[in-house]
Amino acid sequence: MTPSTGGQTTGLFDDLRDLYQEVILDHGRKPRNFRRLEDATATARGDNPMCGDRIELFVALAPDGNIADAAFQGRGCAISTASASLMTETVKGKTAAQAKALGATFRELAMTGTCPDCGAELADEMERLAPLSGVHEFPSRVKCATLAWHTLNAALDGTKEASSE
Amino acid sequence: MDSIAPVAFDVARIRQDFPILSQPQARGRPLVFLDSGASAQKPRVVIDAMVRCMETAYANVHRGAYRLSELATDAYEAARGATARFINAADVREIVFTKNSTEAMNLVAHCWGRGVMQPGQAVVISELEHHANIVPWQMLRDDKGNELRVCRVNDSGELDMDDLERHLADGKVGLVAIAHMSNVLGTVTPVERIVAMAHAHGARVLLDGSQAAVHRRVDVQAIGCDFYCFTGHKLYGPTGIGVLWARLEHLDRMPPFLGGGDMIASVTFEHSTWAPSPGKFEAGTPAIIEAVGLHAAIDYVTAIGMDAIEAHERTLVDHATARLARVEGLTLLGHAQDRGGVFAFALDAAHPHDLATLLDRAGIAVRAGRHCAEPLHARFGLEGGTTRASFGLYTTTDEIDLLAQALAEAREFFR
Ligand SMILES: Cc1ncc(COP(=O)(O)O)c(C=O)c1O
């Protein structure tokens, strides 16, 4: 997206650019991996009954235990869509255990805005997810950002359903 | 109050009655509160009445033979009387205080649905109902087998009266339970016609007045319905109190709701007998302070005049209809001829939840989601929800302009 007037409009919502960073607007509008995975080995559905957000997550685990592919479908706000989109990109190539660890760290980032325990091992991934850290200032929106990750846990644990309520 | 000539409706003056409207908000913006349909703000007189009750006249009701308890009992029963006059009930014993309108509808589903209706009788609701007027009837169906029929709503958001006639035609319907005003579409339903049709087929009528009672004068005898309910917190009163009105002859046929103190005539371990209505339905210590608050709220809106409130709202509705139509990319849900100040809409570029976050930044409080009307959103293909602006008697046309401007700017933000 190109800034509407080269910058210096004092828009009503300028201070929300921290929450809605370009990356998020972009992934919200054009989510990556937004499709069904026919060869998924694990799937789960995530619901946020409060706002009606819903995602269906597909994960294909390779024989070596790594996540070979991840994709999703569903409906949701810019934040939940962008979060799911970024998640499917970041977990590819990870083991299930790594993906869950990443999810736990991400949830902390979303709730507190920082991630003191981000080990060097996850630093690159967390940097990709960092644009979502702005939600911590919006308690009612934290669930939007974490829905995809709850759903990933449900898929990997075989519980099939997650709710962010 | 009716004999007093109505003074001109002065919204600036009215706004001064609501302390919250002058509370400074984040970044110094004034509060633009457009979520009164979910719960309304409280005027000073309601706040003061409740405080005064606790400071000067508080004790449990119907129990103590001492002065304070008598004062509290009088205040509680005076609230019942004011409520009866507010909706023109024929008898004060027809007013049952509940926790909210949800409880009132559950009470009818429980005591009338299970206690008086026959299992072979059906219940008709409509597509525009709030979950509070859907789920209790589903529970009744699953429990006792009473069929649940759903009357269609047309694309304008009005009840399909031919469909209602079809549902009633076989004479098996025991109860028609319909909202007097939709909390999403703003539609005001033709309640007199509904009652005439239902009664002609031997069905009783419950009206969910949670929204309507706030916006216009309600006369249950003129409407002719059998049950009517509303909720205190939307009527500028406190939370924790709602109202069920039912014809005395119905209440007398209904078994009690909850068991406990206050609802009995006598109790032995073998057998208990019930207090007469409305006590039979008010087990336990009631919401005493809240009843006092509701009384103050009723006095407040009555002094302003329900007709004046309705006229003010018509101005707001006309203004919003014209102004929102000019916001590019905005689709309004519901275009009923007869409607109140509730506008749900979808904006092409922004999800309702994102939009609510943006509007909040502009100091504008709106609600995003499905507003406890999931089937209605499905009916209009908006499973993801809508954003809703709903008006109160303190809402101004300036606030609607601010909303429209903010919506246009939000659209640019997301495009
Ligand atoms: C039409 C309608 N019915 C029922 C309710 C339920 O009201 P309460 O939550 O006070 O029981 C509401 C409000 O939420 C409503 O708008």
Side-chain angles (χ1 to χ4, degrees):
Chain A
M1 176 174 152
T2 49
S4 34
T5 53
Q8 283 322 305
T9 49
T10 45
L12 200 49
F13 308 123
D14 282 354
D15 56 349
L16 281 170
R17 292 283 169 204
D18 267 357
L19 176 62
Y20 292 102
Q21 298 187 16
E22 273 313 310
V23 184
I24 294 179
L25 291 178
D26 177 45
H27 279 256
R29 274 191 292 257
K30 296 188 304 259
R32 320 297 195 267
N33 303 311
F34 193 74
R35 59 196 154 86
R36 299 184 74 81
L37 267 193
E38 295 309 333
D39 55 350
T41 50
T43 62
R45 229 183 69 173
D47 271 303
N48 184 341
M50 216 276 290
C51 60
D53 284 4
R54 164 172 297 178
I55 83 163
E56 203 176 347
L57 183 69
F58 308 92
V59 181
L61 288 162
D64 63 4
N66 282 359
I67 296 176
D69 204 356
F72 76 107
Q73 290 205 304
R75 55 169 196 245
C77 60
I79 302 207
S80 73
T81 306
S83 181
S85 171
L86 286 163
M87 181 186 80
T88 54
E89 286 193 332
T90 20
V91 298
K92 267 185 223 179
K94 304 279 173 300
T95 65
Q98 284 172 324
K100 285 169 93 173
L102 193 58
T105 319
F106 174 74
R107 282 196 292 275
E108 180 166 342
L109 180 75
M111 282 187 295
T112 65
T114 61
C115 160
D117 320 322
C118 282
E121 202 197 328
L122 297 174
D124 284 353
E125 286 78 7
M126 289 310 293
E127 202 178 309
R128 301 201 56 196
L129 303 174
L132 284 160
S133 65
V135 293
H136 82 275
E137 284 182 43
F138 300 83
S140 69
R141 308 304 305 277
V142 170
K143 287 176 190 164
C144 308
T146 55
L147 177 62
W149 292 91
H150 284 295
T151 312
L152 178 65
N153 270 0
L156 295 175
D157 294 345
T159 47
K160 302 257 186 251
E161 270 184 37
S163 164
S164 65
E165 266 304 275
Chain B
M1 295 282 174
D2 284 298
S3 56
I4 300 170
V7 275
F9 192 92
D10 180 353
V11 71
R13 258 239 47 247
I14 281 170
R15 290 178 70 82
Q16 290 172 6
D17 297 338
F18 290 79
I20 206 167
L21 296 180
S22 52
Q23 287 291 308
Q25 302 297 305
R27 288 177 311 285
R29 292 211 169 90
L31 171 63
V32 178
F33 187 75
L34 298 178
D35 197 22
S36 295
S39 200
Q41 298 300 344
K42 317 305 174 200
R44 171 59 68 197
V45 286
V46 168
I47 300 165
D48 286 350
M50 295 173 75
V51 171
R52 208 179 320 112
C53 168
M54 285 182 281
E55 286 179 349
T56 64
Y58 185 74
N60 210 332
V61 293
H62 302 146
R63 291 180 191 187
Y66 52 93
R67 191 172 154 273
L68 265 190
S69 177
E70 280 160 5
L71 279 180
T73 304
D74 287 350
Y76 182 69
E77 292 306 326
R80 198 189 305 279
T83 306
R85 285 190 298 281
F86 181 59
I87 56 173
N88 195 30
D91 191 314
V92 56
R93 292 170 297 172
E94 297 180 334
I95 301 294
V96 178
F97 284 132
T98 61
K99 182 169 68 170
N100 47 35
S101 52
T102 300
E103 191 181 66
M105 286 180 265
N106 275 276
L107 195 163
V108 177
H110 205 272
C111 304
W112 178 267
R114 287 166 181 76
V116 178
M117 260 171 56
Q118 300 303 311
Q121 288 188 298
V123 175
V124 179
I125 59 172
S126 85
E127 284 179 329
L128 57 68
E129 301 312 316
H130 187 282
H131 294 166
N133 196 26
I134 300 174
V135 181
W137 311 113
Q138 282 175 337
M139 293 165 76
L140 173 66
R141 176 198 61 198
D142 296 345
D143 189 13
K144 293 286 176 191
N146 298 79
E147 187 193 344
L148 182 56
R149 302 178 179 178
V150 183
C151 175
R152 282 202 297 264
V153 163
N154 67 23
D155 290 343
S156 301
E158 292 165 328
L159 275 191
D160 180 340
M161 296 301 279
D162 294 336
D163 198 39
L164 181 60
E165 181 73 47
R166 272 192 294 278
H167 285 305
L168 287 164
D170 65 4
K172 286 194 179 147
V173 176
L175 185 74
V176 175
I178 298 229
H180 190 177
M181 174 177 155
S182 161
N183 68 317
V184 176
L185 306 166
T187 307
V188 176
T189 54
V191 287
E192 287 89 354
R193 274 183 70 201
I194 293 170
V195 169
M197 275 170 65
H199 283 179
H201 290 92
R204 299 289 160 202
V205 177
L206 175 146
L207 296 175
D208 172 3
S210 306
Q211 295 292 335
V214 182
H215 300 293
R216 47 182 67 191
R217 181 191 296 276
V218 171
D219 180 335
V220 289
Q221 297 189 71
I223 295 171
C225 55
D226 298 278
F227 305 91
Y228 196 95
C229 55
F230 62 99
T231 194
H233 66 97
K234 293 185 205 282
L235 187 68
Y236 314 101
T239 52
I241 189 148
V243 175
L244 169 67
W245 167 84
R247 292 175 184 282
L248 204 54
E249 73 214 58
H250 297 334
L251 288 177
D252 286 345
R253 288 177 70 196
M254 287 155 61
F257 185 37
L258 304 173
D262 283 341
M263 53 74 69
I264 40 78
S266 83
V267 177
T268 65
F269 282 116
E270 288 70 39
H271 185 70
S272 300
T273 54
W274 315 136
S277 313
K280 184 166 70 171
F281 303 101
E282 293 182 1
T285 299
I288 303 163
I289 303 156
E290 290 75 8
V292 168
L294 176 65
H295 188 170
I298 286 174
D299 283 351
Y300 178 73
V301 294
T302 308
I304 292 170
M306 289 310 290
D307 295 338
I309 290 172
E310 186 182 344
H312 172 64
E313 186 168 325
R314 191 169 317 260
T315 311
L316 296 175
V317 165
D318 290 346
H319 190 79
T321 307
R323 194 64 189 79
L324 292 175
R326 296 209 304 274
V327 177
E328 258 179 83
L330 186 131
T331 310
L332 275 182
L333 197 59
H335 301 274
Q337 282 293 321
D338 191 3
R339 68 168 306 159
V342 171
F343 287 83
F345 48 82
L347 191 63
D348 56 359
H351 187 276
H353 222 160
D354 295 316
L355 195 53
T357 296
L358 257 68
L359 294 177
D360 183 43
R361 267 299 141 121
I364 303 173
V366 293
R367 185 161 169 197
R370 290 172 296 189
H371 324 300
C372 298
E374 215 175 306
L376 179 65
H377 280 81
R379 153 73 178 82
F380 283 96
L382 290 163
E383 283 85 352
T386 53
T387 307
R388 181 185 76 177
S390 53
F391 310 149
L393 52 78
Y394 37 63
T395 305
T396 66
T397 51
D398 286 351
E399 289 180 307
I400 293 166
D401 292 343
L402 282 173
L403 170 70
Q405 283 156 19
L407 287 170
E409 229 176 290
R411 185 161 186 261
E412 286 311 308
F413 185 93
F414 281 109
R415 261 151 63 91

